[in-house]
Amino acid sequence: MKKLFILYFLLLSAGMQSQSLLIPDRVFDGETLFTNWIVVVDGNQIEYTGPLDKCPIKTIKDTILLKGMTLLPGIIEGHSHLLLHPYNETSWNDQVLKESPAERAIRGTVYARRSLLAGITTMRDLGAEGAGYTDVYLKKTIDEGIIPGPRLLVAGPAIVATGAYGPKGFHEGVAVPLGAETVSGIDEAIKTVRRQIGNGSDFIKVYADYRWNTGEPAQPTFLQNEIEAMVATAESTGRYVVAHASTPEGIRRAVLAGVETIEHGDLGTIKEFNLMKENDVAFCPTLAAGEAVEQYGGWIKGKDPVPKRIILKKASFEEALKSGVEIVFGGDVGVFSHGENYREMELMVEYGMTPLAVLQSATSINARVFHLDRLGRIRKGLLADIIAVQGDPTKDISAIKSVKFVMKDGEIYLGDK
């Protein structure tokens, strides 16, 4: 501690430049936990990370003491819907049918700020759910500094097979807005992917399976060659495709077609997860959304019997862990409250992962899977997306709820400035 304060006063007294010195109790760099480390930020980049006595920088303007805290890369949320809010507030159907894109955009600005202050500095948004390209423009306003929020990667409307999505329950003479864009056949699929990318989608989301009618179990939707055509089209533009897939056959078709991540995978077996691993396809399990939906239906966790859906989900997640498939952090937030992304991390631990593995998933693994080369780690030369939480989340993942400091792109949004 004496050495720390000697360095602190030495650097502070010489300070003239625009660097900031961050002094926490611990640093999780996206892979490993270190003690007695500091981090120096210069502008929007990390300039140094390592032991106190090896810091080569002698002039630092600002010093921020983060006593009792763990510094870590900004959390990368892998599956979100900023244009949705919890279904126990308003059903999905009513959000699509009764809330205008303007209202949903306004809500989205609130949820973006809430997410950032919860330590989420990057979000992959998996579809506007009936709000067109509103997510594209939400991203634009954040990028232009009009509103605060995480870095966004957005899918736009998402793509579904004709007849396989909702809202449903209307006779054939009633035209209603759908939660995604419908296509049939290879030509339509290619045209739609190109149009969505031209309209600002960062990647393409497809529904490899879904319920054809209300109350029915999910079934495959697209043929494998239709997904292959969408993957080839997206990849030719430097983008990629992700797939909503819960059934074994839906997962199989999507994986063999070349998607990069499988979302949900509720009914996946060891066979499908092994196939994913063999093809370098990552898995986003969205555990928190499943539990939230059951609770909206009346389930009281810890008191009532565990619903079949949760039993099956736990079993499939256990198989995924056994397979060694890359698991990315993403809770389907929007189904539950924005800013409570930690719920997914807590469930990942409850369902069998270590806290360290969960933190790696939410930082360096997500950065790698999502092609974010300058994010997800605390390392010299990378962008300064950094948060601090009270306590040690590598021992108790619930510490991730106690966010005390948020820096995105070198700018402080929460904590001492």
Side-chain angles (χ1 to χ4, degrees):
M1 184 60 71
K2 182 179 180 181
K3 183 189 293 185
L4 183 150
F5 279 104
I6 290 173
L7 179 65
Y8 164 63
F9 284 113
L10 190 78
L11 296 176
L12 185 61
S13 63
M16 293 281 294
Q17 299 179 3
S18 61
Q19 293 110 337
S20 294
L21 169 64
L22 308 178
I23 308 178
D25 281 17
R26 295 162 293 274
V27 173
F28 170 71
D29 70 349
E31 297 172 354
T32 307
L33 185 73
F34 298 91
T35 55
N36 298 318
W37 269 33
I38 63 168
V39 174
V40 178
V41 173
D42 187 358
N44 72 338
Q45 292 192 163
I46 298 169
E47 184 65 21
Y48 173 78
T49 179
L52 294 168
D53 56 1
K54 294 183 179 179
C55 179
I57 304 166
K58 304 304 179 187
T59 54
I60 296 178
K61 180 180 178 181
D62 299 312
T63 298
I64 300 173
L65 293 172
L66 300 165
K67 186 173 177 58
M69 300 185 201
T70 300
L71 206 67
L72 62 158
I75 300 301
I76 301 171
E77 167 63 64
H79 190 128
S80 66
H81 294 280
L82 277 171
L83 300 174
L84 292 177
H85 56 103
Y87 300 166
N88 63 334
E89 297 175 359
T90 306
S91 70
W92 181 87
N93 270 23
D94 281 353
Q95 290 185 50
V96 174
L97 295 174
K98 298 180 180 180
E99 294 178 357
S100 73
E103 176 186 347
R104 295 176 69 187
I106 293 167
R107 289 178 178 273
T109 65
V110 174
Y111 302 147
R113 180 179 183 276
R114 188 182 298 172
S115 300
L116 180 61
L117 296 182
I120 310 299
T121 57
T122 302
M123 299 182 82
R124 199 172 63 152
D125 196 276
L126 270 285
E129 300 293 334
Y133 293 92
T134 303
D135 55 351
V136 172
Y137 295 102
L138 187 60
K139 172 186 176 177
K140 182 174 183 287
T141 57
I142 292 171
D143 290 346
E144 293 178 354
I146 297 170
I147 63 168
R151 302 169 186 274
L152 294 184
L153 302 170
V154 299
I159 300 176
V160 297
T162 300
Y165 208 56
K168 286 184 176 290
F170 303 88
H171 69 71
E172 72 281 1
V174 178
V176 298
L178 298 179
E181 191 168 1
T182 61
V183 304
S184 285
I186 290 175
D187 290 345
E188 272 191 24
I190 292 172
K191 182 178 180 179
T192 301
V193 168
R194 288 175 175 162
R195 180 174 57 253
Q196 289 196 0
I197 290 171
N199 285 337
S201 296
D202 295 310
F203 61 95
I204 298 297
K205 178 187 178 181
V206 303
Y207 282 78
D209 52 31
Y210 206 73
R211 300 177 298 276
W212 285 94
N213 284 297
T214 304
E216 291 185 358
Q219 298 287 350
T221 52
F222 287 114
L223 301 177
Q224 186 175 317
N225 63 359
E226 291 176 309
I227 304 176
E228 287 171 351
M230 289 187 279
V231 169
T233 305
E235 289 183 347
S236 71
T237 71
R239 275 77 169 180
Y240 61 93
V241 176
V242 309
H244 167 118
S246 294
T247 64
E249 179 60 17
I251 294 170
R252 189 191 71 82
R253 292 184 191 181
V255 170
L256 294 179
V259 306
E260 293 202 0
T261 66
I262 294 293
E263 312 297 314
H264 310 302
D266 292 11
L267 302 178
T269 70
I270 192 67
K271 182 178 179 181
E272 287 75 51
F273 294 124
N274 283 338
L275 183 67
M276 290 166 62
K277 181 174 173 57
E278 291 166 9
N279 287 273
D280 295 320
V281 176
F283 175 44
C284 187
T286 65
L287 308 175
E291 291 217 355
V293 169
E294 290 297 326
Q295 288 167 346
Y296 299 156
W299 175 48
I300 302 175
K301 186 173 181 177
K303 179 179 179 181
D304 295 338
V306 179
K308 181 180 179 180
R309 174 178 179 170
I310 303 302
I311 293 171
L312 292 173
K313 188 66 171 178
K314 286 183 175 180
S316 70
F317 190 71
E318 183 177 342
E319 296 292 86
L321 292 177
K322 288 179 183 176
S323 74
V325 66
E326 196 92 277
I327 294 179
V328 303
F329 160 72
D332 210 354
V333 62
V335 175
F336 58 98
S337 295
H338 293 282
E340 296 184 4
N341 310 67
Y342 60 81
R343 290 165 61 172
E344 180 74 7
M345 295 192 197
E346 291 178 326
L347 288 174
M348 291 167 83
V349 171
E350 181 182 326
Y351 285 24
M353 291 180 74
T354 66
L356 182 64
V358 171
L359 292 172
Q360 291 168 340
S361 173
T363 55
S364 59
I365 290 174
N366 273 8
R368 183 173 67 253
V369 172
F370 304 158
H371 309 282
L372 302 171
D373 296 337
R374 300 191 66 200
L375 296 172
R377 289 162 295 159
I378 296 180
R379 185 175 297 175
K380 178 179 170 61
L382 300 190
L383 294 176
D385 281 19
I386 301 170
I387 68 171
V389 301
Q390 194 72 46
D392 183 354
T394 68
K395 293 181 178 177
D396 179 5
I397 196 64
S398 293
I400 205 71
K401 292 187 287 192
S402 184
V403 176
K404 303 298 182 183
F405 176 85
V406 175
M407 173 184 283
K408 176 197 159 197
D409 205 35
E411 181 176 348
I412 297 172
Y413 289 87
L414 177 68
D416 294 332
K417 298 185 178 182

